[in-house]
Amino acid sequence: MKVTRIVISLVFVLAFIIAAVGCAPAKPAQPAEPAKKVWTYKDMTVGFLQTGSEGGWRAANSASFKETATQLGINLKFYDSQNDLAKQVAGFQQFIQDPEVDVIVMSPLEVTGWDQVLKDAKAAGKPVILSDRRIDGFEDYYVTFIGADFVEEGRKSGTEMCNLLKDSASKNVWELVGNVGAAPAIDRGKGFRETAEKCGIKVTKSQTANWSIKEGKEVTEAWLKETKDVQGVFGQNDEMAFGAIEALKEAGLVPAVDVKIISVDATAGAFQAMLDGTLNVTVECNPLLAPQVYEAALAALNGETLPKWIPSQESVFFMVDPKLKEIAAGRKY
Ligand code: GYE
């Protein structure tokens, strides 16, 4: 008897629960989550802040961005900062305000000065990608940096200068530096000293020549008026080394023989100088960064997380390389 009563009351309780649930007002159907936009290159407008047009490397870098954008169907807004930091910051603000611009890519002229615009871009929800040159700090305010290990480029240059001067009694080297405050100028100088000083090289003169042939020549001419006690010249880019080569020739010294010359970039001009026998070594810095940058921009817009640094692959080239002519013929820039 007792068992029957328990079963009956259980049945009642169960029936009550089912009734209660059944009667609960149906939750209004939740509006379906809007399908997450999947960005494609054709949807994307990139605002690119270029440094300016200071030489062969920069020309190849700008062409890489313009040509690759056309190939991929990307709408590219190209801003030439004319090597003026204030103009570059103004361009950055412009792209933050521009409703068409989805992602901002920048080749920073200097390592500092980006605090406010990076914060504003983040507040505006616009991803920022650094191309070619790094900045100091603010990692949380940009998606990734795609570019070279400039310190390593300097180290390679120092090591090769040691090899070139191994039989030289004195090892006085002059350094032609890029624009003050720029990451490649700071880092290549640091890397060069790291390895060069190991073999007793002394950097007896060092001055900016702003990446240009003209200033590279003028600075070297001024130094040659003071002394000819120089065994090597380290040009932080090809153009400045070309300027030094002209100045040395006009001073009656034989470039790459009396004075060893090393440059960074490995543009077509550097290969010609090596084929002419006036440049000993060029350390490559790859300007064809656009495909990797656009890939990162698309990934960022689609919410992917990227490594903070995507290094570019680079080599070293030698005047004495028996295959130099062949290599030079195959170069893209
Ligand atoms: O070495 C130089 C250019 O940022 C890596 O800028 C670039 C440097 C390059 O002016 O030629």
Side-chain angles (χ1 to χ4, degrees):
M1 188 53 187
K2 194 163 165 231
V3 174
T4 325
R5 265 207 306 276
I6 293 169
V7 171
I8 292 167
S9 43
L10 276 178
V11 169
F12 267 104
V13 170
L14 211 57
F16 175 76
I17 292 168
I18 292 165
V21 172
C23 304
K27 275 216 190 75
Q30 298 299 323
E33 285 282 313
K36 210 164 171 327
K37 173 182 173 79
V38 178
W39 290 80
T40 67
Y41 285 128
K42 294 192 173 35
D43 308 326
M44 202 162 79
T45 296
V46 171
F48 177 42
L49 299 154
Q50 182 58 294
T51 57
S53 45
E54 69 271 11
W57 192 96
R58 193 59 57 189
N61 182 250
S62 294
S64 173
F65 276 90
K66 292 174 181 171
E67 289 160 15
T68 310
T70 308
Q71 285 153 13
L72 297 174
I74 291 170
N75 178 24
L76 174 67
K77 294 196 174 198
F78 188 98
Y79 183 94
D80 176 350
S81 312
Q82 295 158 12
N83 286 296
D84 179 323
L85 184 62
K87 283 199 174 88
Q88 196 168 47
V89 172
F92 201 131
Q93 282 155 342
Q94 192 183 305
F95 283 152
I96 293 172
Q97 307 306 327
D98 184 340
E100 275 189 19
V101 171
D102 304 305
V103 57
I104 298 170
V105 175
M106 170 170 72
S107 198
L109 270 163
E110 296 182 18
V111 289
T112 55
W114 307 108
D115 321 30
Q116 195 51 54
V117 285
L118 285 171
K119 288 178 182 149
D120 296 348
K122 190 159 189 160
K126 296 204 176 175
V128 174
I129 290 175
L130 303 182
S131 166
D132 154 37
R133 293 178 179 184
R134 66 167 182 77
I135 62 172
D136 285 348
F138 290 92
E139 281 79 7
D140 298 340
Y141 289 83
Y142 60 83
V143 175
T144 186
F145 158 51
I146 297 173
D149 180 342
F150 297 129
V151 178
E152 186 55 23
E153 290 171 352
R155 290 193 197 102
K156 288 174 183 172
S157 306
T159 302
E160 295 311 329
M161 190 62 86
C162 284
N163 294 341
L164 289 167
L165 297 180
K166 69 180 179 319
D167 306 325
S168 178
S170 63
K171 302 179 179 183
N172 297 326
V173 168
W174 293 349
E175 180 190 34
L176 293 165
V177 181
N179 71 284
V180 176
I186 298 165
D187 297 352
R188 287 170 184 167
K190 184 163 165 274
F192 182 82
R193 285 163 180 72
E194 215 181 281
T195 49
E197 287 169 359
K198 286 202 183 104
C199 72
I201 282 173
K202 289 193 189 61
V203 178
T204 52
K205 292 187 186 302
S206 174
Q207 187 179 327
T208 184
N210 290 307
W211 311 113
S212 88
I213 298 176
K214 180 173 170 297
E215 290 188 49
K217 184 174 183 196
E218 288 162 359
V219 170
T220 308
E221 280 170 345
W223 288 339
L224 284 166
K225 288 202 178 73
E226 292 170 33
T227 174
K228 288 205 169 103
D229 183 9
V230 56
Q231 286 73 51
V233 170
F234 170 44
Q236 286 193 354
N237 82 333
D238 293 339
E239 276 79 9
M240 294 188 288
F242 302 158
I245 288 166
E246 284 173 36
L248 289 164
K249 279 184 189 165
E250 288 170 16
L253 292 165
V254 183
V257 180
D258 301 335
V259 181
K260 308 305 182 191
I261 318 279
I262 292 183
S263 72
V264 180
D265 279 349
T267 56
F271 278 83
Q272 191 51 55
M274 291 194 290
L275 289 166
D276 299 344
T278 60
L279 178 68
N280 298 94
V281 174
T282 189
V283 172
E284 181 175 33
C285 180
N286 182 357
L288 310 182
L289 301 173
Q292 282 177 290
V293 170
Y294 290 142
E295 194 182 344
L298 189 63
L301 288 172
N302 284 322
E304 288 173 42
T305 305
L306 297 167
K308 274 298 166 196
W309 179 21
I310 302 173
S312 38
Q313 303 316 314
E314 298 166 342
S315 313
V316 179
F317 300 98
F318 302 87
M319 177 178 86
V320 294
D321 186 328
K323 294 200 187 69
L324 186 65
K325 212 170 171 56
E326 212 178 305
I327 298 168
R331 302 282 292 168
K332 292 204 190 73
Y333 58 90

